[in-house]
Amino acid sequence: MQKNRLIPIVLILFGAALIVAASLLYARLGALWFGILFPLGVFILAAGFYEFKKTFKKSDGGTDGAPRPEVPRELPEYRRKKTVLTKPEIAFYTLLRDILHPQHFDIFPETALVSVIDKVTQAGYRNELFRIADFCIVDALTTEPLLLIEINDASHARPDRVERDRKVKEICGRADLPIVMFSYEEARSAEFVKKILAQYL
């Protein structure tokens, strides 16, 4: 038996023995010794039960002992997307590949600003470079970013998206990296897109 479990048992037995002895020997010991031994036995007995309860909690991994084994938590589920781009973005990506010469340009979809812009100072917007642009046109040889492109749906008319777009334009302007924003209707016109890209590439 483990030592920590033996101690409370000894205390319980000793306390009980004192109580029994004090009761049986009351006539011989007298009231004085009875008044000492009996309460002492009760105290030791109570201490033994207290220690026994504490020891039981420890062995069971209670709050007074070691932490209880962790109950396995249900892990979050993840699923790989079937495609990186939405259908309109895939159509526009195909259009860009038809317009741009692959020997001169590469097209990177879903590009974070932090991938193409360095923050030189610590002043300014806090997390501005974690915004995502729909496409980035880069030099095919050096991968230098040349132009960012975004396709805006109706959600970009919301005040929060308007402010987001304003900040992105400001950041790109300060970084000397052009950004073009097409509506869904404009993005479907190859001639219009080609005309706009010719201004930057």
Side-chain angles (χ1 to χ4, degrees):
M1 186 176 291
Q2 295 179 356
K3 186 178 179 181
N4 61 340
R5 293 189 180 184
L6 186 60
I7 293 175
I9 293 175
V10 171
L11 288 174
I12 291 172
L13 293 176
F14 184 63
L18 279 179
I19 293 172
V20 172
S23 301
L24 293 176
L25 300 175
Y26 174 74
R28 293 186 181 181
L29 295 176
L32 177 61
W33 283 103
F34 178 83
I36 295 174
L37 294 179
F38 189 86
L40 181 61
V42 172
F43 175 78
I44 294 174
L45 183 65
F49 278 115
Y50 175 77
E51 288 297 323
F52 184 82
K53 185 177 179 181
K54 240 173 42 167
T55 303
F56 178 77
K57 281 188 177 180
K58 287 180 182 178
S59 65
D60 191 41
T63 55
D64 293 332
R68 293 181 184 274
E70 288 189 13
V71 177
R73 292 183 298 175
E74 185 176 346
L75 296 176
E77 294 186 10
Y78 300 97
R79 183 183 296 112
R80 182 180 64 176
K81 291 184 176 181
K82 295 185 180 299
T83 175
V84 174
L85 304 175
T86 63
K87 287 184 179 180
E89 290 170 341
I90 291 174
F92 186 74
Y93 179 69
T94 302
L95 184 149
L96 287 177
R97 287 196 302 179
D98 291 340
I99 292 175
L100 300 174
H101 199 292
Q103 290 185 343
H104 298 148
F105 306 104
D106 277 333
I107 307 164
F108 292 173
E110 299 296 324
T111 302
L113 295 186
V114 72
S115 299
V116 294
I117 295 175
D118 283 327
K119 188 172 185 179
V120 181
T121 65
Q122 294 303 313
Y125 310 119
R126 185 177 179 184
N127 297 317
E128 70 278 24
L129 295 183
F130 292 101
R131 296 180 173 91
I132 306 293
D134 293 325
F135 299 97
C136 180
I137 311 301
V138 305
D139 185 284
L141 183 61
T142 66
T143 71
E144 176 189 0
L146 303 174
L147 177 68
L148 293 178
I149 299 175
E150 289 206 313
I151 304 175
N152 295 345
D153 56 16
S155 68
H156 284 257
R158 298 199 318 253
D160 60 322
R161 296 304 298 270
V162 170
E163 177 62 15
R164 177 260 182 202
D165 291 344
R166 184 193 68 77
K167 288 182 179 179
V168 169
K169 286 181 180 178
E170 180 181 340
I171 292 164
C172 290
R174 290 175 180 267
D176 195 26
L177 176 60
I179 182 169
V180 176
M181 297 187 178
F182 293 108
S183 66
Y184 274 4
E185 292 73 20
E186 293 169 338
R188 285 196 290 264
S189 172
E191 289 301 319
F192 181 79
V193 172
K194 188 174 182 179
K195 178 182 176 182
I196 298 299
L197 295 186
Q199 303 175 20
Y200 302 96
L201 303 175

